[in-house]
Amino acid sequence: MATDELVATTGIAQHGASRLPSVDLDSFNIEIKDEDGFLGDRASKGAFREILERWRKPLRKSGEDPFGKEDTDKISKKTLDDILVGDDTEASAVVHSAIEEFAQELAHVTRRFLKTKAWAKTERIVVGGGFRDSRLGELAIARAEIILKSEDFKVDMQPIRHHPDEAALIGALHLAPSWIFEAYDSILAVDIGGTNIRCGVVETRWKKADDLSKACVWKSELWRHADDEPTREGAVKRLTKMLKGLITLADAEGLKLAPFIGIACPGVINADGSIEKGAQNLPGNWESSKFNLPASLIEGIPEIGEHDTAILMHNDGVVQGLSEVPFMQDIERWGVLTIGTGLGNARFTNRRKNGGNGKDKDRDSTENGKKKGKNDKE
């Protein structure tokens, strides 16, 4: 069990902080509701499957469903991508119809985010999560952008650059203090999800690009914990073992591994490393006041190399978005949406090295990147 002393030694800054090395975090994990529940559920991975199922139903009744009896939830993204460019025009039309309807939902949800005070004047939105890793996801994102621009929202939408499996691992670099990049060439990173836990060694490649734009995942390991249904303590034990294995591999390769672990985790992360809410899909009760993941990992990995281990943990959507920091330097305000089981979200403001912290004190929630004179009501 984590002690207060261990909690105090888990980091070199606060967990879940709003001020990060390169950006200010204006908001994350916003939960907007409408008459049907949480708005983000309308643009989730499951929502797309429900839409696809609805488009199949009328064809199924007439015995002309091009997908036959296959369950909608079991049709892979690759299969759907292949259908988009295949010879079966009816099947392709069904998928295109589902993409269009989902894009309308994504545009609606994004519109609501843009009208909040925290997302005022957002110039660019990157979209991550597993859904982005497909042609159909890319088309839905592009179509949503077109819809918003047709309504005079001056915002760009684009798929996140890094593969969804690696974005949060690379984003963990941007939780770390700058001295790490001068003294070491790699860090340990953890991406915790409701189905999988992924650990990796991330090379900074700081000497090739000091903005970390060349960073890459050197090696990673995946555990699909949903298949094993472990206890919370079992999950921590397995995670610790995975990290120790990566430390051994990095040492054998001659990498200069920093005494730092960056963690991306679902939910609202408190400054002491406890989780306030949003971790309901993780094995066991991670929101318990008696549980602290960073402190538990410190117990298992007290040192990396010859130095005490430091750990920083933040919301998974935030960390995934941080992977885009090097590529957002041409603008001030940007956000990330992650399409997965739900819709993760975070909004950032860059801090300029040569002129203040990049904050705009006069942000107006009614302007929000739209042309002046546009009615802001829905």
Side-chain angles (χ1 to χ4, degrees):
M1 181 38 227
T3 66
D4 290 339
E5 183 181 358
L6 279 170
V7 172
T9 63
T10 58
I12 36 194
Q14 288 187 340
H15 303 287
S18 60
R19 184 177 176 86
L20 298 169
S22 301
V23 296
D24 288 316
L25 178 59
D26 303 308
S27 77
F28 75 96
N29 218 35
I30 292 179
E31 296 179 337
I32 303 175
K33 290 186 177 181
D34 61 11
E35 62 277 4
D36 297 320
F38 289 111
L39 194 69
D41 292 341
R42 294 176 58 167
S44 66
K45 187 169 57 177
F48 176 80
R49 296 291 173 168
E50 290 175 7
I51 291 169
L52 181 60
E53 173 66 16
R54 283 203 303 272
W55 281 100
R56 289 182 64 188
K57 275 186 178 179
L59 296 175
R60 193 179 293 135
K61 288 179 180 178
S62 62
E64 298 175 357
D65 183 356
F67 297 95
K69 295 182 179 180
E70 189 168 7
D71 191 305
T72 298
D73 288 336
K74 293 181 180 178
I75 303 173
S76 70
K77 288 181 294 186
K78 184 180 185 308
T79 297
L80 294 174
D81 282 351
D82 290 343
I83 285 170
L84 285 173
V85 294
D87 296 329
D88 189 334
T89 54
E90 192 166 60
S92 181
V94 170
V95 178
H96 273 289
S97 298
I99 290 171
E100 173 62 23
E101 186 175 337
F102 182 81
Q104 294 284 349
E105 294 288 356
L106 179 58
H108 172 72
V109 173
T110 304
R111 190 185 304 119
R112 288 286 300 274
F113 275 107
L114 291 172
K115 289 182 177 179
T116 64
K117 184 176 181 179
W119 280 67
K121 298 182 182 179
T122 298
E123 298 163 77
R124 188 176 300 152
I125 297 172
V126 291
V127 183
F131 186 74
R132 169 262 177 270
D133 184 33
S134 60
R135 182 61 177 166
L136 61 97
E138 291 175 347
L139 287 172
I141 294 164
R143 179 68 183 121
E145 179 190 47
I146 291 170
I147 293 167
L148 290 169
K149 286 188 171 178
S150 73
E151 299 170 356
D152 293 331
F153 281 91
K154 296 161 69 175
V155 63
D156 296 324
M157 291 185 75
Q158 60 189 43
I160 204 164
R161 281 171 176 76
H162 295 288
H163 191 282
D165 290 345
E166 298 187 343
L169 299 180
I170 292 172
L173 284 172
H174 297 274
L175 296 174
S178 59
W179 59 261
I180 279 180
F181 311 124
E182 298 177 13
Y184 302 95
D185 59 19
S186 54
I187 70 163
L188 288 170
V190 180
D191 182 14
I192 299 171
T195 303
N196 303 317
I197 292 178
R198 188 181 300 273
C199 301
V201 174
V202 182
E203 286 190 88
T204 66
R205 295 189 176 179
W206 188 76
K207 291 182 179 178
K208 291 185 177 180
D210 61 9
D211 63 355
L212 301 177
S213 59
K214 301 290 187 183
C216 69
V217 177
W218 173 69
K219 193 174 289 293
S220 66
E221 184 176 348
L222 176 70
W223 171 38
R224 188 176 170 85
H225 65 77
D227 293 340
D228 296 342
E229 298 182 358
T231 62
R232 183 182 68 196
E233 288 68 27
V236 173
K237 187 176 180 180
R238 176 70 177 267
L239 173 55
T240 302
K241 183 179 179 181
M242 291 166 69
L243 288 169
K244 285 182 174 179
L246 288 170
I247 292 171
T248 300
L249 290 173
D251 185 56
E253 186 67 18
L255 291 175
K256 294 174 65 178
L257 191 62
F260 175 86
I261 304 173
I263 303 176
C265 183
V268 176
I269 313 301
N270 294 321
D272 65 354
S274 60
I275 303 174
E276 185 176 328
K277 62 177 181 177
Q280 63 272 9
N281 293 323
L282 302 182
N285 180 14
W286 289 47
E287 298 172 19
S288 168
S289 60
K290 297 180 180 180
F291 177 67
N292 188 292
L293 178 63
S296 296
L297 289 177
I298 288 288
E299 289 181 351
I301 310 174
E303 293 183 346
I304 297 176
E306 299 177 353
H307 300 280
D308 291 343
T309 303
I311 297 178
L312 277 179
M313 185 165 77
H314 217 306
N315 172 265
D316 55 347
V318 170
V319 182
Q320 192 172 150
L322 289 175
S323 67
E324 288 286 322
V325 165
F327 313 106
M328 296 292 136
Q329 297 308 302
D330 59 322
I331 57 174
E332 295 289 340
R333 306 168 189 85
W334 54 283
V336 61
L337 298 174
T338 58
I339 302 174
T341 306
L343 185 72
N345 59 86
R347 216 304 282 266
F348 306 96
T349 297
N350 289 334
R351 288 205 310 277
R352 299 300 185 194
K353 294 179 181 178
N354 58 350
N357 64 5
K359 281 269 192 180
D360 182 348
K361 296 179 181 178
D362 297 319
R363 284 185 300 174
D364 181 355
S365 62
T366 63
E367 198 170 332
N368 197 26
K370 293 177 69 175
K371 291 180 181 177
K372 290 183 179 179
K374 194 77 177 176
N375 191 339
D376 204 36
K377 295 181 180 178
E378 287 189 292

